[in-house]
Amino acid sequence: MYKIISKKLVVPKEFDVWVEAPRVARHVKPGQFVIIRTNPQGERVPLTVADYDREKGLIRMIFQTVGKTTAEFADMNVGDCLTDILGPLGTPSEIKNYGTVLMVGGGVGIAALFPIIRALKEAGNKVYTILGGRTKDLVIMKEECEKYSDELLITTDDGSAGKKGVVTDAMVELAERGVKIDQSWAIGPSIMMKFASLKAKELDIPMFVSLNPIMIDGTGMCGGCRVTIHDQIRFACVDGPEFDGWGVNWNEFMNRMRQYKDEEKMSLEKYKAEMGEE
Amino acid sequence: MALDIAPKRLPVPEQSAEERIKNFNDVVIGYSIEEAVAESARCLQCKNAPCIKGCPVSIDIPGFLKAIKEKDLEKSWDIISKYTNLPAVCGRVCPQEKQCEGVCTVGRIKGYEPVSIGKMERFIADWKAEHGSKVAPKVPEQTKGNVAVVGSGPSSLTVAGDLAKMGYKVTVYEALHAAGGVLMYGIPEFRLPKAIVRREIENIKALGVKIETNVAVGRSVTIEELQSHFDAVYIATGAGTPHFMGVPGTSLNGVYSASEYLTRINLMHGYEFPKYDTPTKESEKVVVVGGGNVAMDAARSALRLGAKSVQVVYRRSLEELPARIEEYHHAVEEGVVFNWLTNPVEYVGSETGNIVGVKCIRMELGEPDASGRRRPQEIKGSEFTIEADTIIEAIGQGPNKVLLSAFPELKLNKKGYIDADPETGQADPEWVFAGGDIVTGAATVILAMGAGKKAAEAIDKYITEKKAAGK
């Protein structure tokens, strides 16, 4: 079970894989995630489901190698099996016809944004999408997102594609053009979601963000993933992962993400040494 | 009254406190055969056997003790395994002082201690695993019906084993990657070795029970799917959602729920990082909040991870401590310091968002509250600060929401637990049965097993009647 069916490198350090997980494929909805374990000594890590094929029982995950577990996943080949996949987990995105929606994605977060874009388009929304990255190559899934967007804007830090700048610049541009947004989503690096939320508040646009704190069980049993939203403690794995971006305590959230930085670094270095890398 | 038996129970060999805080091995080493035979001779074989009534699953205690005394250990195992599917677990974690041993006739005689029933139960289960015959148990053909069991903790394992023995095809769904519930993620290795939990689960699988891990019922499997595939469902998803006190600083780095702390250690083997991938933080000064078994487990685990000091803060006094007395003594021997009548009011953080101390307030006991225990009240102006780099809150748990939120038709009680008949476990809708902590709130392993025992009989009756009625 949980066999890797296909795997490709999308951009450096980002992988696009399809894996057998029939129960997840049958029930998953946009906005939900899975917890995986690569091996019997492995840790449990959350990954968003980027797409699914209900008939074939497959789910798609796009992930960036950031530590030991993702590095190990990246080193696995077609035909290899993950030890565990649990899901779908989390509360699905609220999909309905809002009117006009704005979808903001950055980095590997675009993979999590994609199924929501598609579902919102299918629900009859007018969809504006902004994708951002440091350089041209890091803006993934452009064609797929474009297919379900009425307008797609791209921003890059170095100007190698689209507009030079960051996603909030494109948000301002849309506002200046007089585009009226009824609901928005931002999914990407924490810092991007923070500034997108601040900008959305300034522009008076409601915004959901998808938080990715440290998780262990992913089923509401431990509170490791707790976040503060409008001064209330919530568990991202069951109450989220999507929350009102205006209400997130971003400093606390980003601080909690750094809790195991030293241990994570040590684990990755040990793995690399064992694999004979660097 | 002159009795021809030793007044004191035979002491059980244990690892010394200095030795055991350096490892996660079982603290109690357990009886040898000779010791078990000698201790079993202290049983008076009472006709009325109050010990049986004190046991939530009504094990024939004089029966299995007599067989040990006669050195017929296979027979002793056969007797015990008729009543329980988890003897090595219960022998270790039951609060026997409040159950079988608490009512033992010998213990009621002045100057005498009760028979060590728990340690003998553990002895016979461990003996069977190591030395007993390995003949597969005889199981009837599983043709009476299909039952799904949600969760794989002690209540679920009991229902599953009992129904399999009655001739049902049982499928257990577990959300985590390992079966056993709190036995795997909650109770530490040094009280309940995980190899023993896995061994007892293998015994249950040998009865024909199918266990599927990585299935969150309500998400990976829908309630409609359950209803259409099974004749009845038993829900025992436990009380696994941690409560936080909610004092300022709760989300500082270094503040954990005991559930997270223990899950990292027990289920994920965090104490073996980096051989296992899940990290735990090195701590020097640990403060544990709470006075139950979970608090004792967290405090003793922190010591074993190398903490220099571990302090428990508890808002009542030793007299009200809900933890097992044996575990409290073990904690004291190991060096855990107890602050009675103390409650945290704030966690103090550094500029970088790490915990550096806990501000506490002294308490005094006032009038008894609804639970009959004297209510702790704050003493104004008594605040003081304990330095700490790690805080572990063990103040209780609530029902897990994943399944309940996916099942709005299921009737809940005022506290948000499943409303089930205490005698049968039957809930509303009628094809659903429930037991253990998801009905009672956080309680003990053996009470969860007792609920499973009753529910297995009720489920058998329900399905048999339903089939007879041609439904």
Side-chain angles (χ1 to χ4, degrees), chain B residues 42-315:
Chain B
R42 294 181 65 240
C43 172
L44 301 178
Q45 295 290 315
C46 315
K47 285 275 176 311
N48 62 340
C51 52
I52 299 181
K53 295 182 196 83
C55 170
V57 297
S58 310
I59 295 174
D60 174 9
I61 292 164
F64 95 83
L65 291 179
K66 183 160 179 272
I68 295 179
K69 187 181 161 191
E70 289 163 359
K71 296 188 189 164
D72 190 347
L73 302 184
E74 282 293 349
K75 185 177 166 194
S76 182
W77 165 261
D78 288 342
I79 294 170
I80 226 170
S81 58
K82 243 188 266 171
Y83 301 90
T84 170
N85 299 312
L86 300 164
V89 170
C90 285
R92 284 174 168 81
V93 303
C94 275
Q96 288 103 3
E97 69 271 19
K98 293 177 191 159
Q99 297 173 337
C100 54
E101 295 178 16
V103 292
C104 169
T105 307
V106 178
R108 302 179 79 113
I109 303 164
K110 200 164 181 250
Y112 281 69
E113 289 176 348
V115 177
S116 289
I117 300 166
K119 297 292 186 290
M120 307 282 270
E121 180 185 19
R122 158 195 167 126
F123 161 79
I124 202 70
D126 290 354
W127 173 86
K128 173 68 183 179
E130 281 167 44
H131 309 289
S133 71
K134 296 286 181 283
V135 184
K138 273 198 205 122
V139 192
E141 267 195 76
Q142 294 173 330
T143 53
K144 285 181 78 178
N146 293 322
V147 180
V149 176
V150 186
S152 67
S155 197
S156 295
L157 293 173
T158 301
V159 158
D162 282 11
L163 286 172
K165 287 181 203 167
M166 291 176 200
Y168 288 89
K169 201 171 162 195
V170 183
T171 307
V172 177
Y173 293 118
E174 166 58 49
L176 293 174
H177 59 261
V182 73
L183 308 176
M184 285 305 280
Y185 70 75
I187 304 174
E189 194 81 25
F190 55 82
R191 274 213 297 138
L192 180 63
K194 301 307 145 217
I196 281 171
V197 180
R198 279 191 286 269
R199 186 181 85 201
E200 299 221 310
I201 289 171
E202 286 306 313
N203 290 343
I204 290 167
K205 281 159 91 175
L207 299 171
V209 171
K210 191 169 155 198
I211 301 184
E212 293 201 39
T213 53
N214 294 323
V215 180
V217 171
R219 296 224 199 270
S220 325
V221 167
T222 62
I223 304 304
E224 295 72 36
E225 284 172 317
L226 277 190
Q227 191 178 5
S228 64
H229 290 112
F230 297 96
D231 298 306
V233 172
Y234 184 69
I235 300 175
T237 46
T241 302
H243 292 152
F244 286 95
M245 297 193 61
V247 302
T250 299
S251 290
L252 287 166
N253 288 347
V255 180
Y256 299 87
S257 72
S259 311
E260 179 186 350
Y261 195 75
L262 292 171
T263 299
R264 282 180 179 274
I265 295 170
N266 298 323
L267 180 69
M268 305 311 298
H269 287 251
Y271 64 98
E272 294 185 76
F273 177 82
K275 182 183 161 200
Y276 285 76
D277 293 336
T278 304
T280 54
K281 279 276 179 202
E282 280 185 23
S283 312
E284 286 206 354
K285 295 168 185 162
V286 178
V287 171
V288 178
V289 183
N293 286 318
V294 176
M296 301 305 112
D297 287 344
R300 298 173 66 201
S301 296
L303 277 179
R304 284 161 172 79
L305 285 172
K308 298 219 169 46
S309 84
V310 177
Q311 303 202 36
V312 168
V313 301
Y314 179 52
R315 63 196 183 119

Side-chain angles (χ1 to χ4, degrees), chain B residues 241-396:
Chain B
T241 302
H243 292 152
F244 286 95
M245 297 193 61
V247 302
T250 299
S251 290
L252 287 166
N253 288 347
V255 180
Y256 299 87
S257 72
S259 311
E260 179 186 350
Y261 195 75
L262 292 171
T263 299
R264 282 180 179 274
I265 295 170
N266 298 323
L267 180 69
M268 305 311 298
H269 287 251
Y271 64 98
E272 294 185 76
F273 177 82
K275 182 183 161 200
Y276 285 76
D277 293 336
T278 304
T280 54
K281 279 276 179 202
E282 280 185 23
S283 312
E284 286 206 354
K285 295 168 185 162
V286 178
V287 171
V288 178
V289 183
N293 286 318
V294 176
M296 301 305 112
D297 287 344
R300 298 173 66 201
S301 296
L303 277 179
R304 284 161 172 79
L305 285 172
K308 298 219 169 46
S309 84
V310 177
Q311 303 202 36
V312 168
V313 301
Y314 179 52
R315 63 196 183 119
R316 302 182 201 241
S317 61
L318 173 57
E319 214 171 294
E320 291 85 15
L321 196 76
R324 280 189 72 192
I325 201 72
E326 178 180 0
E327 304 312 330
Y328 165 70
H329 287 309
H330 279 147
V332 171
E333 281 170 16
E334 290 167 9
V336 175
V337 173
F338 284 77
N339 297 271
W340 307 115
L341 293 164
T342 308
N343 215 23
V345 288
E346 185 186 344
Y347 302 135
V348 186
S350 68
E351 275 177 18
T352 52
N354 294 321
I355 183 88
V356 293
V358 49
K359 198 162 143 196
C360 296
I361 191 161
R362 299 276 184 212
M363 312 289 280
E364 61 189 349
L365 293 177
E367 294 302 306
D369 62 14
S371 75
R373 296 188 299 179
R374 293 176 66 194
R375 189 196 302 273
Q377 295 162 343
E378 293 184 352
I379 302 173
K380 280 205 180 100
S382 68
E383 288 91 344
F384 67 104
T385 300
I386 305 175
E387 273 184 56
D389 55 17
T390 302
I391 304 282
I392 306 165
E393 281 198 3
I395 59 156

Side-chain angles (χ1 to χ4, degrees), chain A residues 261-271, chain B residues 273-274:
Chain A
K261 219 174 65 191
D262 299 342
E263 290 81 1
E264 284 159 3
K265 188 165 165 247
M266 191 245 264
S267 190
L268 179 62
E269 279 166 5
K270 178 175 166 276
Y271 176 72
Chain B
F273 177 82

Side-chain angles (χ1 to χ4, degrees), chain A residues 234-246:
Chain A
R234 310 290 297 276
F235 291 1
C237 69
V238 288
D239 301 324
E242 284 181 14
F243 293 103
D244 174 7
W246 293 14

Side-chain angles (χ1 to χ4, degrees), chain A residues 3 38 42 53 59 75 79 144 146 159-160 162 168 170 174 179 184 207 210 214-215 217 227 230 245 271:
Chain A
K3 193 199 275 180
T38 50
D53 183 328
I59 61 168
D75 285 345
E144 284 163 290
E146 191 161 28
S160 54
T168 46
L174 281 178
V179 178
S184 68
M207 178 173 268
S210 180
I214 295 171
M215 288 188 189
D217 62 285
V227 290
H230 292 296
Y271 176 72

Side-chain angles (χ1 to χ4, degrees), chain A residues 149-267:
Chain A
S149 303
D150 292 87
E151 189 178 338
L152 178 79
L153 292 87
I154 288 174
T155 64
T156 49
D157 294 6
D158 63 358
S160 54
K163 194 181 161 71
K164 185 171 166 35
V166 290
V167 292
T168 46
D169 298 333
M171 288 171 69
V172 172
E173 185 196 311
L174 281 178
E176 283 170 352
R177 269 164 48 191
V179 178
K180 173 85 184 66
I181 306 292
D182 299 298
Q183 179 65 48
S184 68
W185 269 257
I187 308 181
S190 314
I191 194 76
M192 183 215 98
M193 291 193 285
K194 174 182 171 176
F195 284 105
S197 296
L198 294 176
K199 185 57 77 183
K201 191 172 181 187
E202 202 181 300
L203 299 171
D204 200 28
I205 303 169
M207 178 173 268
F208 286 121
V209 292
S210 180
L211 300 182
N212 53 340
I214 295 171
M215 288 188 189
I216 303 107
D217 62 285
T219 62
M221 257 182 45
C222 82
C225 68
R226 65 192 184 274
V227 290
T228 304
I229 311 293
H230 292 296
D231 297 324
Q232 297 280 316
I233 291 182
R234 310 290 297 276
F235 291 1
C237 69
V238 288
D239 301 324
E242 284 181 14
F243 293 103
D244 174 7
W246 293 14
V248 177
N249 182 333
W250 291 104
N251 290 346
E252 177 191 291
F253 174 70
M254 287 191 265
N255 196 50
R256 284 183 63 79
M257 294 282 278
R258 285 192 287 266
Q259 267 190 99
Y260 292 94
K261 219 174 65 191
D262 299 342
E263 290 81 1
E264 284 159 3
K265 188 165 165 247
M266 191 245 264
S267 190

